[in-house]
Amino acid sequence: MMRFLIFLGCWLPMLPALAWNGAGHRIVAVIAWQQMKPVTQQRVSILLAAHPDYARWREKAGTHDPAAIFAEASTWADGIRHDDRYHDAGRGEPTPPLAGRFDSRRQRHWHYADRAADGRPTKGELDRQIVRLSRLLGSADDDEQTYALPWLIHLVADLHQPLHVGRSDDEGGTRVTIENPFNRRQPFITLHAYWDDLPGPSSLRGRRLQREAGRLLAAYRPPAQGNVDLWREESWQLHAMAYPQQAGSLLPIVDEAFHRRATTTAERRLAEAGYRLGRLLESRLHSVVSRETAR
Ligand SMILES: [Zn+2]
């Protein structure tokens, strides 16, 4: 057993701690897309089409359907961590701006907003960046809007993942190993990865993705829109139920009641993020769209 635990200790820190997995981000995007008026959807598509990575999103979507391309853009902020056209600021040689003008920094610290046990903010800029990028999206500059859009699609979803407003002492659950008997192929994972993967298989696309988003839209009514402060506090409050108990086991263990509660909570947070993202984009782009149609 001891040898097994040492083995676990070696590989667990190498697991990626990103965000909701691909399924989670795409579900949020599909819900958000349906909250926008056709004229706003059209504006969003025009802005995305001007992004240096647009061709990649279209290729991954395997279709010209603007809603599917929008959904592919939702995981871009995680994908650039493994893309050598992008760089980590302060580590090695910086890569040149994309298409000569788009920021090529990975901005890993934008994906979370961690806190000390007393609630004091410690590391990460997730909440602050959503505020800043929302402002950029409302600006009159097309490049700024194109730059801000894929970031916002991703980060609004991240802020609704409870462990992205994490405790700094366990780095948002990335240093907590749990036993999850509901995943036979990977029963020992970090608590953070457990939450990231609750939305389902990360390859979820196409009709199954539409069905899943439709199911959540039917199950959850639109929440109060609130603001970034509310979304962040909601995630922090969920910590009270986000950690499984040790229950005489070697590691904290996921039992049936916990798994059911966590799955329902994750689904509700995805729905909330989708509704709110859609309304945020609608409100930020509405004035721009109205200005253009007035011309
Ligand atoms: Zn993320």
Side-chain angles (χ1 to χ4, degrees), residues 18-19 78 81 111 154 158 164:
L18 301 170
D78 282 336
R81 295 167 197 232
H111 296 253
H154 183 86
D158 273 2
H164 278 252

Side-chain angles (χ1 to χ4, degrees), residues 17-20 25 74 77-78 81 108 110-112 126 151 154-155 157-158 164:
L18 301 170
W20 293 118
H25 279 286
S74 73
D78 282 336
R81 295 167 197 232
R108 291 171 192 265
W110 288 11
H111 296 253
Y112 59 89
L126 175 54
W151 272 115
H154 183 86
L155 296 182
D158 273 2
H164 278 252

Side-chain angles (χ1 to χ4, degrees), residues 64-144:
H64 288 272
D65 174 25
I69 296 169
F70 178 78
E72 291 304 330
S74 73
T75 58
W76 165 84
D78 282 336
I80 62 174
R81 295 167 197 232
H82 314 289
D83 186 331
D84 55 17
R85 295 171 304 143
Y86 292 84
H87 69 278
D88 294 303
R91 266 194 248 168
E93 274 297 294
T95 53
L98 268 74
R101 59 191 196 282
F102 286 90
D103 187 12
S104 62
R105 283 171 295 176
R106 296 191 175 116
Q107 313 287 21
R108 291 171 192 265
H109 57 300
W110 288 11
H111 296 253
Y112 59 89
D114 285 356
R115 295 176 165 196
D118 62 7
R120 192 171 32 86
T122 49
K123 262 169 52 184
E125 298 182 4
L126 175 54
D127 46 354
R128 268 182 286 156
Q129 289 302 332
I130 293 177
V131 172
R132 189 183 74 88
L133 293 159
S134 302
R135 231 176 269 142
L136 283 186
L137 194 68
S139 75
D141 184 304
D142 286 4
D143 274 358
E144 300 273 40

Side-chain angles (χ1 to χ4, degrees), residues 144-262:
E144 300 273 40
Q145 289 184 299
T146 291
Y147 167 72
L149 190 52
W151 272 115
L152 273 176
I153 301 170
H154 183 86
L155 296 182
V156 170
D158 273 2
L159 189 57
H160 284 75
Q161 206 276 42
L163 295 180
H164 278 252
V165 186
R167 281 167 39 175
S168 41
D169 58 359
D170 65 21
E171 300 195 355
T174 59
R175 297 196 170 275
V176 179
T177 305
I178 61 161
E179 184 176 349
N180 173 20
F182 296 93
N183 185 343
R184 291 222 187 107
R185 278 175 43 214
Q186 210 180 27
F188 300 99
I189 55 169
T190 71
L191 180 63
H192 192 103
Y194 168 77
W195 274 93
D196 278 351
D197 287 340
L198 283 171
S202 66
S203 59
L204 189 69
R205 284 183 172 86
R207 242 178 289 168
R208 280 178 51 231
L209 170 64
Q210 293 296 331
R211 251 203 320 270
E212 187 58 10
R215 187 176 70 78
L216 298 191
L217 274 166
Y220 298 98
R221 296 188 53 74
Q225 180 67 3
N227 56 23
V228 171
D229 292 338
L230 175 75
W231 310 344
R232 186 194 58 227
E233 292 315 305
E234 286 172 348
S235 279
W236 180 248
Q237 296 303 326
L238 284 171
H239 278 228
M241 58 73 65
Y243 286 70
Q245 299 303 307
Q246 200 123 3
S249 46
L250 199 58
L251 296 168
I253 186 161
V254 172
D255 64 20
E256 210 177 321
F258 180 89
H259 193 56
R260 210 179 317 122
R261 217 167 36 237

